C-alpha cells in the first residue's frame, strides 16, 4: 500500500492539531480581534465607574448636583458631543472611501482627526473653567466623579487620536493596510460611542 | 482524617450559606438609604452581571458570523488506492 497522495495529506492534522495552512481559513485579522477584546474590557471599566456614580448620586444629601457646586456646561458640551459624533461619521466616510480608492480617504480622515482633536481641546478648556470656579477633584464627590469619569474618557480619546494620527501618516504615505485601519477604527468608534452615555449620566 | 476535615468544611460552608442574615452584607437589603438608592443598587448589580455576557457574546457572535461567511469548500475525498497484486 502506498500513502502520501495530496488529497489524503490535505485533510490530515499536523502535530499541533491544526489543518495544514492551505486548508485553514482566516476569519479575521488578529489586530481586529485583539482590539475588540480590549474594547470589551474598557466597556466593563466604564460600566464600573458609571455604576458607582449612579449609586453615589442617590445617597447625596441635598440632591444632585450638590448645592454650592459649580454647574456643568451642559449646552456647550452638547455641541462638543456633536463634534465628536461627526468625527466618528467622518471616519466611517474615510473607511468607505479607502475601500474604493485609498487616496480619496485622506481628506475625510483629516476632518475626522481635526474634529476629534477639537473635542479634546474643548474638554480641556472646560476643565480649566470649572477649576477656576472651584470644582476640583478633591472638593466634593461631584468633582471627584466628574474628573475621574470624564478624565478617563479624555485619556482614551487622546490615545485613540495618537493612533489615528499614526494611521493617517500611513495613509498619506500609501502604506496603510486595511487591517490596521480597521483596528484603529474600532478604538475610535468605542471612544465616540461611549461618550453620549457618559454625557447623559454625568452632565444631565 | 483528611476526608473528615474536608466533609466538615463543606458542612460548615453550607451552614453559613443557610444563615445569610448573619452577614448583613447585602447592600440592597441593609445599606440602602432610600428607594432610589435601592433601585440604583439593583440596576447596577443586574447591569454589571449581564454586561460581560453581552460583551463576550457579541464578540463571539461576530466571530461566528465571520466564520460562516468564510466557509471552506467540502474536503476532497481521498483517492482510492488500487490493491496491489501479490
Amino acid at each position: 500500500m502506498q500513502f502520501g497522495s495530496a488529497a489524503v495529506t490535505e485533510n490530515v492534522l499536523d502535530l499541533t492539531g491544526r489543518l495544514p495552512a492551505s486548508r485553514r481559513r482566516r476569519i479575521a485579522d488578529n489586530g481586529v480581534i485583539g482590539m475588540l477584546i480590549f474594547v470589551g474590557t474598557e466597556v466593563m471599566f466604564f460600566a464600573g465607574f458609571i455604576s458607582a456614580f449612579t449609586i453615589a448620586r442617590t445617597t447625596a444629601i441635598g440632591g444632585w448636583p450638590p448645592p454650592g457646586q459649580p454647574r456643568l456646561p451642559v449646552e456647550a458640551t452638547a455641541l462638543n458631543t456633536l463634534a465628536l459624533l461627526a468625527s466618528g461619521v467622518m471616519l466611517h466616510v474615510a473607511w468607505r472611501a479607502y475601500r474604493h480608492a485609498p487616496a480619496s480617504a485622506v481628506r475625510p480622515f483629516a476632518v475626522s482627526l481635526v474634529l476629534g482633536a477639537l473635542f479634546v481641546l474643548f474638554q480641556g478648556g472646560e476643565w480649566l473653567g470649572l477649576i477656576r470656579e472651584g470644582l476640583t477633584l478633591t472638593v466634593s464627590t461631584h468633582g471627584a466623579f466628574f474628573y475621574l469619569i470624564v478624565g478617563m474618557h479624555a485619556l482614551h480619546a487622546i490615545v485613540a487620536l495618537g493612533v489615528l494620527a499614526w494611521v493617517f501618516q500611513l495613509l498619506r504615505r500609501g502604506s496603510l493596510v486595511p487591517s490596521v485601519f480597521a483596528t484603529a477604527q474600532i478604538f475610535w468608534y468605542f471612544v465616540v460611542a461611549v461618550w453620549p452615555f457618559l454625557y447623559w449620566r454625568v452632565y444631565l | 482524617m483528611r476526608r473528615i476535615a474536608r466533609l466538615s468544611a463543606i458542612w460548615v460552608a453550607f451552614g453559613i450559606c443557610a444563615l445569610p442574615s448573619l452577614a448583613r452584607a447585602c447592600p440592597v437589603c441593609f445599606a440602602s438609604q432610600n428607594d432610589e438608592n435601592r433601585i440604583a443598587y439593583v440596576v447596577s448589580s443586574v447591569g454589571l452581571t449581564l454586561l460581560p455576557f453581552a460583551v463576550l457574546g457579541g464578540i463571539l457572535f461576530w466571530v461566528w458570523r465571520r466564520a460562516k461567511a468564510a466557509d471552506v469548500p467540502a474536503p476532497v475525498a481521498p483517492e482510492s488506492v488500487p490493491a496491489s497484486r501479490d
Side-chain angles (χ1 to χ4, degrees):
Chain A
M1 275 175 92
Q2 288 185 341
F3 293 98
S5 71
V8 171
T9 54
E10 271 187 3
N11 296 321
V12 173
L13 302 180
D14 64 17
L15 291 175
T16 62
R18 297 187 299 176
L19 284 171
S22 60
R23 301 288 295 153
R24 276 182 245 140
R25 52 187 173 165
R26 191 175 185 81
I27 295 171
D29 183 71
N30 289 337
V32 169
I33 292 180
M35 183 57 76
L36 284 175
I37 293 171
F38 173 70
V39 164
T41 65
E42 295 305 287
V43 166
M44 294 305 303
F45 179 71
F46 280 102
F49 282 146
I50 291 297
S51 144
F53 175 71
T54 302
I55 290 170
R57 267 178 81 145
T58 58
T59 57
I61 299 168
W64 194 275
Q69 295 288 302
R71 290 296 173 261
L72 301 177
V74 176
E75 296 81 11
T77 308
L79 287 175
N80 207 24
T81 302
L82 290 177
L84 186 65
L85 293 173
S87 173
V89 169
M90 289 311 296
L91 189 62
H92 182 67
V93 169
W95 168 250
R96 289 174 69 100
Y98 174 80
R99 298 290 293 272
H100 180 67
S104 63
V106 173
R107 192 171 292 183
F109 200 112
V111 171
S112 172
L113 208 49
V114 166
L115 286 171
L118 282 175
F119 170 82
V120 172
L121 289 171
F122 182 84
Q123 286 293 108
E126 202 179 86
W127 278 26
L128 290 175
L130 286 170
I131 289 170
R132 269 198 295 271
E133 289 179 30
L135 183 68
T136 62
L137 187 67
T138 54
V139 72
S140 65
T141 311
H142 181 220
F145 271 113
F146 172 77
Y147 287 109
L148 180 65
I149 294 172
V150 176
M152 281 298 109
H153 180 265
L155 185 62
H156 283 75
I158 290 167
V159 172
L161 279 175
V163 171
L164 284 182
W166 171 66
V167 170
F168 183 63
Q169 286 304 310
L170 292 177
L171 178 65
R172 285 185 60 194
R173 269 189 255 143
S175 55
L176 179 64
V177 295
S179 58
V180 172
F181 195 163
T183 304
Q185 259 192 311
I186 292 169
F187 194 14
W188 189 244
Y189 287 159
F190 161 71
V191 169
V192 170
V194 83
W195 175 251
F197 188 72
L198 298 183
Y199 172 73
W200 167 57
R201 292 304 300 155
V202 176
Y203 283 79
L204 302 179
Chain B
M1 189 62 191
R2 196 183 286 178
R3 190 159 175 263
I4 293 172
R6 202 182 307 149
L7 282 172
S8 304
I10 291 171
W11 279 111
V12 167
F14 270 126
I16 291 172
C17 292
L19 300 168
S21 60
L22 287 179
R24 297 183 71 87
C26 174
V28 178
C29 305
F30 300 110
S32 55
Q33 300 168 16
N34 51 51
D35 282 341
E36 202 182 349
N37 188 233
R38 195 173 303 119
I39 291 168
Y41 270 118
V42 171
V43 170
S44 296
S45 299
V46 171
L48 289 177
T49 301
L50 295 179
L51 198 55
F53 293 102
V55 168
L56 283 173
I59 293 172
L60 290 173
F61 177 71
W62 178 81
V63 170
W64 174 74
R65 279 190 57 176
R66 294 277 298 215
K68 272 196 81 173
D71 269 344
V72 295
V76 177
E79 293 173 10
S80 58
V81 178
S84 58
R85 284 186 182 181
D86 290 326

